[in-house]
Amino acid sequence: MPPSRTSPPPPPPSKPLGLTPSQLASFATDGYLLLPSFLSPTTTAALLAETQHLLATFPLATHPLTRFSTGETSAHVSDSYFLTSGDKVRFFFEEDAFDPATGALAKPQALAVNKIGHYLHALSPPFRAATLTPAAAAVARDLGFRDPRVLQSMVICKQPEIGGRVPPHQDSTFLYTDPPSAVGFWIALEDATRENGCLSFARGSHRRAGVQSRFVRRGDGQGTEFVGVEGGRFPEGMEVEEGAGEEVEEEYTLGEVRAGTLVLIHGNLLHKSERNCSAKGRMIYTFHVIEGENRYDERNWLQPPEGGFTRLVQNGV
């Protein structure tokens, strides 16, 4: 029966969950995938508002002023504030937020933080509601996860004028399972552009760049270090390029995206972002998923909370 002139229009058809065959093929080839409008404008705005609230209200007077460096020699990696953040919501400052002469904070606290981590998906209701969703679970299912576990979540602020450059890296270096299994769910809360430090990707590098090192706690308990990988360097069953492991000079493709876009990032993919020299921030939310059936050992810097890492699939959904 056709609708009458006074009846409301029919609702738009719901978008199917998960990934299409062409999207899966693109991810397998490129190692990353852009999914516009994964979050609704309402949800995106709610996460941005929660972020601004957290930035404005955390207690600065009792904070150890731990800085986050995007390089591989940062002092923060030996800081207990960082190493015990896996089941907490903690705040890490931009290196350039401090006066080099005095060491005092030179920016308002809401404009000085590099990232908030690493347990937002459990302790912040808005972020938990946006993470543990049927949509995210369907994506993980289509990527082949049997028991997807969320092991960390962060807001990366990329602050105006001081947001630091992130050099090329592989997420599985920092979140190693044997064999590797990490996938990043990276969601723009604001438009990410060339000017404010969007991501760049070495397209297809996940098929030729095995995970060579991993970020672990030192055996003497004195901080962290990078060590060589003794286990698997590519995900189980993955087709790799001939000559994989050889040094290659990679070309990077910009990934400018609108707010609400989900970017899926293979754990072996080399990716980076440049410094934000613009007057506009680049807030993003990211969480990482690993295969719960793969070995995740006690050497990793991030250790599971009591009860284990969070199941992405909740109540069988």
Side-chain angles (χ1 to χ4, degrees):
M1 176 179 177
S4 71
R5 292 184 179 181
T6 58
S7 64
S14 59
K15 187 165 61 174
L17 300 180
L19 302 174
T20 66
S22 63
Q23 288 171 333
L24 284 169
S26 179
F27 183 76
T29 299
D30 297 338
Y32 68 97
L33 182 66
L34 313 182
L35 298 173
S37 302
F38 185 81
L39 291 189
S40 70
T42 300
T43 299
T44 303
L47 297 187
L48 197 56
E50 171 75 350
T51 298
Q52 298 293 1
H53 171 74
L54 291 170
L55 289 172
T57 59
F58 77 91
L60 187 60
T62 57
H63 193 283
L65 299 184
T66 298
R67 310 179 191 195
F68 183 82
S69 170
T70 55
E72 296 186 349
T73 59
S74 168
H76 87 275
V77 298
S78 299
D79 189 326
S80 64
Y81 183 81
F82 169 76
L83 290 174
T84 58
S85 64
D87 59 354
K88 299 174 182 66
V89 175
R90 288 186 168 168
F91 301 81
F92 303 90
F93 288 92
E94 288 281 2
E95 288 189 301
D96 289 347
F98 295 85
D99 186 315
T102 67
L105 198 63
K107 296 280 186 179
Q109 70 179 60
L111 295 175
V113 170
N114 169 283
K115 74 170 181 175
I116 309 170
H118 293 95
Y119 210 40
L120 289 164
H121 62 278
L123 298 181
S124 165
F127 282 105
R128 180 180 177 87
T131 305
L132 308 181
T133 65
V139 168
R141 175 202 64 210
D142 289 349
L143 291 176
F145 283 93
R146 299 177 295 274
D147 179 19
R149 299 292 183 116
V150 181
L151 75 167
Q152 71 165 8
S153 53
M154 305 176 286
V155 167
I156 308 294
C157 300
K158 204 77 160 176
Q159 297 284 5
E161 302 175 347
I162 62 170
R165 174 181 180 268
V166 180
H169 65 283
Q170 298 166 299
D171 289 345
S172 281
T173 294
F174 301 92
L175 305 169
Y176 182 75
T177 63
D178 188 9
S181 63
V183 171
F185 285 60
W186 188 103
I187 303 170
L189 302 183
E190 299 177 305
D191 294 350
T193 66
R194 178 195 295 267
E195 290 72 27
N196 67 4
C198 68
L199 291 174
S200 295
F201 313 97
R203 188 189 303 271
S205 59
H206 65 302
R207 292 181 284 111
R208 54 184 172 268
V211 182
Q212 302 294 326
S213 64
R214 49 184 296 210
F215 185 58
V216 301
R217 298 182 180 226
R218 289 170 54 105
D220 59 9
Q222 302 300 309
T224 56
E225 62 183 345
F226 288 88
V227 299
V229 167
E230 298 177 352
R233 299 191 174 191
F234 290 94
E236 182 180 7
M238 180 177 170
E239 293 186 14
V240 301
E241 292 184 359
E242 186 175 347
E246 298 177 359
E247 286 289 329
V248 176
E249 185 173 347
E250 299 285 358
E251 294 185 3
Y252 284 81
T253 301
L254 279 177
E256 295 184 297
V257 297
R258 302 295 299 271
T261 299
L262 167 65
V263 183
L264 295 174
I265 306 173
H266 192 285
N268 278 53
L269 185 81
L270 288 162
H271 58 290
K272 64 178 184 175
S273 66
E274 299 303 325
R275 183 179 176 88
N276 181 10
C277 296
S278 77
K280 188 180 187 310
R282 192 221 65 181
M283 296 280 188
I284 69 97
Y285 171 58
T286 183
F287 62 93
H288 288 85
V289 173
I290 58 170
E291 176 53 62
E293 296 181 6
N294 290 14
R295 184 168 183 259
Y296 187 93
D297 67 28
E298 68 283 351
R299 300 188 70 193
N300 282 312
W301 81 267
L302 178 67
Q303 287 300 300
E306 186 176 351
F309 292 129
T310 307
R311 292 183 183 273
L312 182 58
V313 179
Q314 299 286 306
N315 301 321
V317 178

